[in-house]
């Protein structure tokens, strides 16, 4: 199975900050890496697919990069509505796996 | 409106089975695979498998092989996930999620999610 490890597991930041979340795969997954945002009691919402493609309707302050084993999700200027939990997900292997999540909290 | 509407919460005893439904609307039901993803309380996301609503073909995560069955009814644009021999650690919110693949090779991402169905397994 391909493991995906996110870091940090939690993060405190302020409105306006630039934030980066990292996802590392246990083996190369090319660009088959997606990012989701989840708020309490809600379903996940797709932000980025194929490592760097912005999903329609997602604000441009979200961006993704990386390939192989190392990937990042960047929020260029945090807004109040961005405080949530973020997950990465790999689809390189037939067994789809998710990272354990990064909880982004208000400082 | 493009959406997935799931059935309501369930409480089951250990050893029982549960069947969760997911009704699609606003798009061509047979045009997208449907996946199931679960989330135990306070935990991360766990992929369970997919069903092709067009053919009925399925692919299950090995962890759930023999316990999970995914089916569909194209006449009402609904997919079902049945999990048998329930254990306490099956307590989770079960989401259906529409799968799209950017490479045409099963490079799945999930662009539409149901709100989830809480299944509680307790004696």
């Amino acid at each position: 199975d391909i493991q995906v490890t996110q870091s940090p597991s939690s993060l405190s930041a302020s409105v306006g900050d630039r934030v980066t979340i990292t996802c590392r795969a246990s083996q190369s997954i090319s660009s088959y890496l997606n990012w989701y945002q989840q708020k309490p009691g809600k379903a996940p919402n797709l932000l980025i697919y194929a490592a760097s493609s912005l999903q329609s309707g997602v604000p441009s302050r979200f961006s993704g990069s990386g390939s192989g084993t190392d990937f990042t999700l960047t929020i260029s200027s945090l807004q109040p509505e961005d405080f949530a939990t973020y997950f990465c997900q790999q689809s390189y292997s037939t067994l789809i796996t998710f990272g354990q999540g990064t909880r982004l909290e208000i400082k | 409106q493009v959406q997935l509407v799931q059935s309501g919460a369930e409480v089951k005893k250990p050893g029982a089975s549960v069947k969760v439904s997911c009704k699609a609307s606003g798009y061509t039901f047979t045009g997208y695979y449907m996946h199931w993803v679960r989330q135990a309380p306070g935990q991360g996301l766990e992929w369970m498998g997919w069903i092709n609503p067009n053919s009925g073909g399925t692919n299950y995560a090995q962890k759930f092989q023999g316990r999970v069955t995914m089916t569909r009814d194209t006449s009402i644009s609904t997919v079902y996930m049945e999990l048998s021999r329930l254990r306490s650690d099956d307590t989770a919110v079960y989401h259906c999620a529409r799968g799209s693949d950017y490479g045409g090779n099963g490079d799945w991402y999930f662009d539409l999610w149901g709100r989830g169905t809480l299944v509680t397994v307790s004696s």
Side-chain angles (χ1 to χ4, degrees):
Chain A
D1 301 353
I2 297 177
Q3 311 300 321
V4 283
T5 304
Q6 281 182 243
S7 61
S9 56
S10 64
L11 174 61
S12 294
S14 302
V15 172
D17 284 353
R18 179 183 181 89
V19 166
T20 298
I21 298 169
T22 297
C23 185
R24 174 164 288 175
S26 59
Q27 66 182 74
S28 177
I29 57 171
S30 185
S31 297
Y32 300 138
L33 192 286
N34 311 307
W35 290 97
Y36 301 85
Q37 176 194 69
Q38 186 178 32
K39 297 182 179 179
K42 302 292 188 182
N45 181 51
L46 176 68
L47 300 174
I48 302 287
Y49 64 94
S52 60
S53 295
L54 189 69
Q55 171 69 355
S56 176
V58 174
S60 59
R61 63 181 180 273
F62 292 93
S63 64
S65 65
S67 66
T69 60
D70 295 318
F71 301 85
T72 59
L73 172 71
T74 299
I75 310 172
S76 61
S77 178
L78 271 175
Q79 298 302 301
E81 60 268 29
D82 299 338
F83 292 94
T85 299
Y86 293 83
F87 293 95
C88 58
Q89 170 242 324
Q90 68 80 22
S91 56
Y92 181 83
S93 70
T94 55
L95 176 62
I96 293 168
T97 51
F98 292 84
Q100 79 278 18
T102 294
R103 185 175 178 181
L104 179 54
E105 300 174 320
I106 302 173
K107 184 182 287 184
Chain B
Q1 185 179 1
V2 179
Q3 61 180 354
L4 300 173
V5 178
Q6 296 187 224
S7 49
E10 304 262 12
V11 179
K12 296 292 184 181
K13 293 193 182 301
S17 297
V18 68
K19 191 171 186 177
V20 179
S21 68
C22 170
K23 181 174 177 60
S25 61
Y27 71 94
T28 302
F29 175 67
T30 52
Y32 295 83
Y33 286 41
M34 196 72 78
H35 298 246
W36 289 88
V37 176
R38 76 178 187 178
Q39 188 169 29
Q43 302 300 309
L45 299 161
E46 182 174 34
W47 178 78
M48 300 179 69
W50 56 249
I51 180 168
N52 178 347
N54 189 38
S55 66
T58 55
N59 178 44
Y60 304 140
Q62 187 171 11
K63 174 178 179 176
F64 300 102
Q65 289 273 2
R67 284 210 303 144
V68 70
T69 305
M70 297 178 189
T71 57
R72 93 291 192 210
D73 184 339
T74 57
S75 69
I76 55 172
S77 300
T78 299
V79 297
Y80 303 91
M81 188 284 299
E82 183 170 22
L83 190 62
S84 63
R85 303 193 300 278
L86 289 168
R87 307 184 293 255
S88 58
D89 62 357
D90 290 318
T91 295
V93 175
Y94 289 77
H95 294 278
C96 56
R98 188 179 76 173
S100 293
D101 67 329
Y102 36 84
N105 296 312
D107 320 315
W108 301 110
Y109 61 93
F110 308 125
D111 62 355
L112 180 67
W113 293 68
R115 295 189 66 175
T117 296
L118 174 62
V119 175
T120 302
V121 183
S122 174
S123 55

